[in-house]
Amino acid sequence: MKYVLIISVFVGISSAKAHGVDGINLGPPSNDPKSLVKTMKADKDPALPRIAEGVTNGFKLWSAGSVVSVCFFDSSSDVRRQFADIANTWLKNANLKFDFGAAPDFRSCDDGSQYNIRVSFNNTGNWSYVGTDAVRVDRSAPSLNVQSGNNSGQHVTSANQFKTVVLHEVGHALAMEHEHQSPAAKCDQ
């Protein structure tokens, strides 16, 4: 089944770091009956694309066709592999690629190079810089951190929790914002 990603653009975000623990919800952004009907019809008819909606910051998107380099701070090759496998879920239908370096160990951040996304597994929470903000900050420091579901990057302790958090934080690294940050959310009213 083919997927179409419809993205609402929000450019008024000033905060560079996003956070969260519940993963990214691909599907209708609300219980709006019209959205549900569109999605249900698409799911029942394989000829129609499934529609996923999200909020992104257009100023922080990676350029179409880009290869985004990724490195890892202290972590096992198994945790790196699982992170890479999960992260690539986002790119199945995108004109973007991640370069994690060569398997099975993937790339370490300790060689002094200037990688786009720098992944750590420290005990500092789950967070990520949004999109290309990752290259506008200290390139020798982490730009994405996954605390949940692993033991300081040495082994995955909860596969489901790890997957949820990696999908959520990589979504931020791809410039996705939280749903309440959409102008359509009208949270201030």
Side-chain angles (χ1 to χ4, degrees):
M1 176 184 287
K2 291 187 177 185
Y3 294 85
V4 174
L5 183 61
I6 299 173
I7 299 176
S8 303
V9 178
F10 180 56
V11 295
I13 303 295
S14 60
S15 172
K17 216 184 247 189
H19 65 282
V21 295
D22 295 328
I24 290 186
N25 180 15
L26 290 180
S30 68
N31 289 328
D32 176 64
K34 291 178 185 173
S35 294
L36 291 172
V37 170
K38 271 196 300 189
T39 301
M40 290 182 341
K41 284 182 181 176
D43 286 344
K44 290 181 181 179
D45 185 348
L48 295 174
R50 180 167 177 235
I51 298 171
E53 295 180 330
V55 179
T56 189
N57 186 319
F59 287 125
K60 298 178 183 186
L61 288 171
W62 300 96
S63 298
S66 293
V67 176
V68 179
S69 60
V70 182
C71 66
F72 295 93
F73 288 97
D74 300 324
S75 53
S76 71
S77 56
D78 182 55
V79 170
R80 292 176 182 197
R81 179 191 53 76
Q82 289 184 61
F83 182 98
D85 288 347
I86 295 165
N88 278 321
T89 302
W90 276 107
L91 305 183
K92 288 180 181 175
N93 297 300
N95 187 11
L96 193 69
K97 293 185 188 235
F98 286 132
D99 174 11
F100 293 99
D105 294 326
F106 299 102
R107 180 181 298 116
S108 291
C109 295
D110 57 7
D111 68 0
S113 295
Q114 302 287 301
Y115 300 110
N116 300 127
I117 298 174
R118 299 156 314 277
V119 180
S120 64
F121 301 94
N122 296 323
N123 193 22
T124 59
N126 303 305
W127 55 266
S128 176
Y129 283 92
V130 177
T132 56
D133 278 350
V135 298
R136 294 183 181 100
V137 297
D138 181 0
R139 304 266 308 262
S140 65
S143 63
L144 185 155
N145 191 72
V146 176
Q147 175 182 329
S148 299
N150 71 89
N151 180 18
S152 299
Q154 299 315 302
H155 64 274
V156 171
T157 55
S158 170
N160 285 340
Q161 186 177 29
F162 186 72
K163 180 178 181 179
T164 297
V165 173
V166 170
L167 285 172
H168 184 101
E169 300 309 336
V170 171
H172 289 311
L174 293 173
M176 298 291 284
E177 299 281 4
H178 291 138
E179 292 152 338
H180 69 272
Q181 293 172 298
S182 166
K186 299 180 182 173
C187 292
D188 294 335
Q189 295 179 356

